[in-house]
Amino acid sequence: AYSGQVKIVMKDIADPFVMDVSGTILNPKKYFLNFEDRKMPAGALYDNHWSVTTYTNGNNNYAQSGYVDPYKLITPRLKVSADETMTFEVAKRSTSSKMTVYYSNDRENWTEARAIANSELPSSTGTFKQFTLSGVPAGEYYIAFESGYCYLDNVYGFELVEVAHDAMVSAQELPV
């Protein structure tokens, strides 16, 4: 993280305008989702309960889970190094909003990594708060954001695993 001050000096005004600023340079090797392209992420799995929107937040695009019942948005396969963390931002849509984050190496057997209760979210609808996902063991996993009525943005951490193909069959119907 970097920090400093921006100082603006104006003619005929005695005191300059000074503003504190800070920023972070993101590692381009890390997985990053900010939804600013207004698309769901390539390689992710989700159903029609998830979408990208700017609702209540001006020009900021983010993913929303539009139903109170929880549904998963699953990342592509990610490599987690020892003691590595992932950050993400969540905002509530209502007093029913909640988010649980899981990891899995097969997208069938999920381990809960972080549960976020409605009481942990800012009281104002659409106000984002950053959370940290830690404690995921080293290895390759899918990360699932299971949400009931939440907004999700700025997911950052772990590394995308390049795979030749990545398919999952959740149901089949064969002729008899």
Side-chain angles (χ1 to χ4, degrees), residues 1 30 74 143 169:
K30 300 295 179 188
I74 304 170
I143 306 297
V169 177

Side-chain angles (χ1 to χ4, degrees), residues 70-133:
Y71 292 94
K72 288 181 176 77
L73 185 160
I74 304 170
T75 68
R77 195 166 187 82
L78 301 174
K79 179 183 174 190
V80 180
S81 298
D83 300 319
E84 188 174 8
T85 62
M86 172 182 270
T87 59
F88 56 97
E89 296 176 5
V90 180
K92 72 167 66 177
R93 292 187 64 183
S94 78
T95 55
S96 300
S97 297
K98 59 188 176 285
M99 171 82 70
T100 306
V101 185
Y102 301 91
Y103 64 93
S104 170
N105 62 1
D106 62 8
R107 290 186 291 214
E108 290 184 23
N109 301 295
W110 294 97
T111 301
E112 182 178 310
R114 179 85 158 90
I116 300 167
N118 189 282
S119 59
E120 294 180 73
L121 298 169
S123 59
S124 298
T125 298
T127 300
F128 283 89
K129 178 179 177 182
Q130 187 177 76
F131 292 90
T132 300
L133 176 63

Side-chain angles (χ1 to χ4, degrees), residues 142-167:
Y142 300 94
I143 306 297
F145 296 90
E146 184 180 69
S147 171
Y149 233 40
C150 280
Y151 303 132
L152 174 68
D153 204 3
N154 297 322
V155 177
Y156 175 72
F158 309 151
E159 290 186 30
L160 183 64
V161 175
E162 297 294 332
V163 293
H165 63 278
D166 191 13

Side-chain angles (χ1 to χ4, degrees), residues 11-96:
K11 186 178 179 180
D12 299 328
I13 296 180
D15 295 327
F17 174 77
V18 179
M19 177 175 58
D20 293 328
V21 294
S22 65
T24 302
I25 297 175
L26 300 179
N27 181 340
K29 292 182 180 180
K30 300 295 179 188
Y31 187 68
F32 180 53
L33 291 178
N34 67 3
F35 305 100
E36 294 308 316
D37 62 359
R38 297 183 183 193
K39 297 177 185 172
M40 292 301 279
L45 295 177
Y46 55 93
D47 58 22
N48 63 355
H49 298 98
W50 280 92
S51 61
V52 176
T53 187
T54 59
Y55 180 72
T56 75
N57 219 349
N59 293 326
N60 181 39
N61 295 294
Y62 48 88
Q64 73 170 345
S65 172
Y67 293 84
V68 173
D69 295 329
Y71 292 94
K72 288 181 176 77
L73 185 160
I74 304 170
T75 68
R77 195 166 187 82
L78 301 174
K79 179 183 174 190
V80 180
S81 298
D83 300 319
E84 188 174 8
T85 62
M86 172 182 270
T87 59
F88 56 97
E89 296 176 5
V90 180
K92 72 167 66 177
R93 292 187 64 183
S94 78
T95 55
S96 300

